[in-house]
Amino acid sequence: MRDATVTPNGDRIRWVEIPGREPVRLYLHGLGASSPVYYAAAAAHPLLTGHRSLLLDLLGFGISDRPADFPYTLEAHADAVAAAVRAAGAERVEVIGHSLGGAVAIQLAHRHPGLVAGLVLVDAVIDPVAPSPGPGSGGIASFTEEEFLAGGLEQVERWAGPFWWATMRLAGPEALHRSAVHRCRATVPSLREQLHGLELPRTFLHPEADGELPGADRLRAAGVALEAVPDCGHNIMIDNPDGFAKAVAAALA
């Protein structure tokens, strides 16, 4: 395990590091998740081993610190990740970002030009959603922060189920709520616009069963490769680790 201070208050991001060759690969998890948990099997897959890999937990989640005074916007997450990457001595990284982690990865590439060598977005967040009670970020964002801290978290535990809750319970409550709220909101420019405008290799993995992505033609026209992965749901790297590893290896070849 490694760590780096990423805020003026001394808050630390932590990651599990696997040694190997350049370029460095940075793995970013989704909302309420943890990179060492969600990516361990994939990062150890024969198709993906050999590169120095940082299985990093966003501030507020997993093994990283959980400051209550951090804003947990997508932009703030991206800047904190950039600080950790630079502290790790990595000049360029290939980023694999799942769900919320994909949104942070897009912001990272947009806000820190030259730091990201390539993006693999894993069923990533690129559009806003309306808050609505139920499982997912929209359910968390349907509470005000005061409501969430006063009992909404217990309702979210029931919505989440035991698998997601296994890592969600490690998150700071402020981190979980604020990250969900900002995941649901539109950014300026939008994440889609940022993704379209990036001048680096970009691949978007999505479950085959979900069908074509909204706006697929425009994404392809902007140079984003779209890859459907069979036999999986949202957690592609867990549901089909072989298919995930094959798709990521091809994207980063």
Side-chain angles (χ1 to χ4, degrees), residues 25-29 35 39 42-43 48 53-57 94-97 244 248:
R25 289 181 176 169
L26 172 67
Y27 291 82
L28 299 178
H29 61 81
S35 289
Y39 286 116
L48 297 179
S53 298
L54 314 180
L55 280 63
L56 181 144
D57 279 347
E94 297 173 332
V95 186
I96 300 96
F244 173 82
V248 172

Side-chain angles (χ1 to χ4, degrees), residues 176-227:
L176 186 60
H177 184 265
R178 292 175 199 165
S179 296
V181 167
H182 290 291
R183 173 264 177 268
C184 291
R185 291 175 178 169
T187 59
V188 179
S190 72
L191 288 171
R192 275 187 181 267
E193 291 170 336
Q194 291 179 40
L195 181 57
H196 289 157
L198 292 173
E199 296 183 357
L200 48 85
R202 293 147 294 156
T203 299
F204 194 113
L205 310 185
H206 63 94
E208 185 178 70
D210 288 354
E212 191 87 310
L213 288 175
D217 289 342
R218 190 177 171 209
L219 286 167
R220 290 193 186 95
V224 181
L226 304 180
E227 296 293 337

Side-chain angles (χ1 to χ4, degrees), residues 122-145:
V122 186
D123 210 21
V125 171
I126 57 174
D127 295 314
V129 299
S132 178
S137 57
I140 296 171
S142 69
F143 297 94
T144 66
E145 185 166 319

Side-chain angles (χ1 to χ4, degrees), residues 44-139:
H45 193 283
L47 291 175
L48 297 179
T49 55
H51 285 263
R52 183 185 177 199
S53 298
L54 314 180
L55 280 63
L56 181 144
D57 279 347
L58 298 172
L59 203 64
F61 297 92
I63 56 176
S64 292
D65 285 352
R66 300 178 287 275
D69 59 350
F70 190 73
Y72 296 106
T73 63
L74 298 179
E75 295 86 351
H77 275 306
D79 291 347
V81 170
V85 167
R86 293 187 174 109
E91 296 181 358
R92 296 267 285 173
V93 291
E94 297 173 332
V95 186
I96 300 96
H98 176 232
S99 196
L100 172 71
V104 173
I106 294 169
Q107 287 278 12
L108 181 67
H110 177 73
R111 294 171 65 82
H112 299 272
L115 187 61
V116 177
L119 283 180
V120 180
L121 304 174
V122 186
D123 210 21
V125 171
I126 57 174
D127 295 314
V129 299
S132 178
S137 57

